[in-house]
């Protein structure tokens, strides 16, 4: 009777030991349809902090920006002047430069060197600025109007993209190099007259020696 009870106890112990070994050897079943890399990447920062895992950013490639077409034609600027009823001047111009290009317009009276200037912006190939002159209006005489394309450093980024850094894509008879080493610039000057043509002496005098 004692032998049977001892055998029963030994058998029960062996059965319990076998069950423990089986539970330790169990391995988690991995679903082959789940990408473990994506699963880790989608862990939020908060969840990663609580679990001790280091978060990984989900890679999302941004679409490439469209290519910007460089400016490939000679710079063209033309101006018209209009004298208002108060004898002040308006400047109306056209150009093939890109929209939002900044231009500097200057009007100078040739007799005195007095200048008026304003900055304007190209919109749809057109620009307008003024009025120029004092409150009493412009006196009769000769004037010059100059339209300058300033260096790229003062232009909007969209204009720099078209015209190139330091104006690399600028070309044509109106284009020159900045005196301050800031790349290419463009300029046009036109003379005009307000009022009557100034009187000019056309007589020629011959000087003779007297005895």
């Amino acid at each position: 009777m004692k032998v049977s009870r001892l055998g029963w106890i030994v058998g029960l112990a062996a059965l319990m030991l076998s069950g423990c070994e089986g539970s330790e050897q169990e391995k988690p079943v991995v679903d082959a349809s789940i990408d473990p890399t994506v699963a880790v990447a989608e862990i939020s920062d908060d969840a990663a902090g609580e679990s001790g895992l280091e978060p990984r950013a989900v890679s999302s490639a941004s679409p490439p920006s469209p290519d910007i077409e460089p400016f490939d034609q000679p710079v063209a600027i033309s101006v018209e002047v209009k004298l208002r009823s108060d004898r002040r001047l308006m400047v109306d111009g056209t150009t093939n430069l890109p929209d939002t290009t900044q231009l500097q317009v200057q009007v100078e009276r040739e007799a005195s060197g007095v200048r008026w200037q304003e900055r304007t912006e190209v919109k749809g190939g057109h620009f307008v600025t003024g009025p120029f002159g004092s409150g009493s209006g412009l006196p009769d005489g000769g004037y010059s109007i100059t339209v300058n394309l300033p260096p790229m450093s003062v232009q909007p980024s969209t204009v720099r993209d078209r015209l190139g850094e330091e104006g690399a894509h600028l070309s044509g008879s109106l284009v020159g190099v900045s005196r301050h080493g800031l790349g290419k610039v463009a300029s046009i000057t036109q003379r005009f007259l307000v009022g009557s043509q100034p009187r000019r002496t056309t007589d020629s005098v011959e000087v003779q020696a007297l005895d």
Side-chain angles (χ1 to χ4, degrees), residues 89 91 105-117 132-133 138-139 141-146 189-194:
L89 197 72
V91 176
V105 181
Q106 174 182 285
V107 175
E108 179 179 356
R109 186 185 181 197
E110 296 176 345
S112 62
V114 176
R115 299 176 181 177
W116 302 267
Q117 60 183 11
F132 295 96
L138 297 176
Y143 293 82
S144 63
I145 176 173
T146 302
T189 299
Q190 181 175 316
R191 300 182 65 209
F192 62 94
L193 184 67
V194 174

Side-chain angles (χ1 to χ4, degrees), residues 17-199:
L17 181 62
S18 175
C20 293
E21 290 178 353
S23 62
E24 292 178 355
Q25 293 177 357
E26 288 181 357
K27 296 182 180 180
V29 178
V30 178
D31 188 352
S33 64
I34 299 178
D35 187 345
T37 303
V38 176
V40 174
E42 292 179 351
I43 295 176
S44 65
D45 292 344
D46 294 338
E50 294 175 358
S51 63
L53 295 176
E54 185 175 342
R56 295 173 57 185
V58 179
S59 60
S60 57
S62 57
S65 57
D67 294 335
I68 298 176
E69 183 180 355
F71 189 77
D72 59 355
Q73 49 189 307
V75 175
I77 303 174
S78 62
V79 294
E80 292 184 1
V81 293
K82 298 177 181 179
L83 193 64
R84 305 192 335 168
S85 58
D86 60 359
R87 292 184 64 83
R88 293 198 295 170
L89 197 72
M90 296 295 297
V91 176
D92 196 343
T94 58
T95 181
N96 61 348
L97 290 168
D99 282 359
T100 72
T101 298
Q102 301 296 304
L103 298 175
Q104 189 79 26
V105 181
Q106 174 182 285
V107 175
E108 179 179 356
R109 186 185 181 197
E110 296 176 345
S112 62
V114 176
R115 299 176 181 177
W116 302 267
Q117 60 183 11
E118 287 186 8
R119 180 167 290 185
T120 186
E121 180 179 292
V122 177
K123 295 180 180 179
H126 179 261
F127 62 93
V128 60
T129 184
F132 295 96
S134 61
S136 58
L138 297 176
D140 289 357
Y143 293 82
S144 63
I145 176 173
T146 302
V147 180
N148 290 315
L149 169 65
M152 294 301 105
S153 57
V154 304
Q155 299 293 344
S157 58
T158 53
V159 174
R160 293 198 303 270
D161 291 340
R162 290 288 315 278
L163 303 185
E165 291 298 328
E166 298 189 349
H169 302 317
L170 292 175
S171 64
S173 59
L174 304 182
V175 176
V177 179
S178 169
R179 293 178 297 177
H180 306 290
L182 299 177
K184 293 181 180 180
V185 293
S187 179
I188 182 175
T189 299
Q190 181 175 316
R191 300 182 65 209
F192 62 94
L193 184 67
V194 174
S196 303
Q197 177 73 25
R199 185 180 301 170

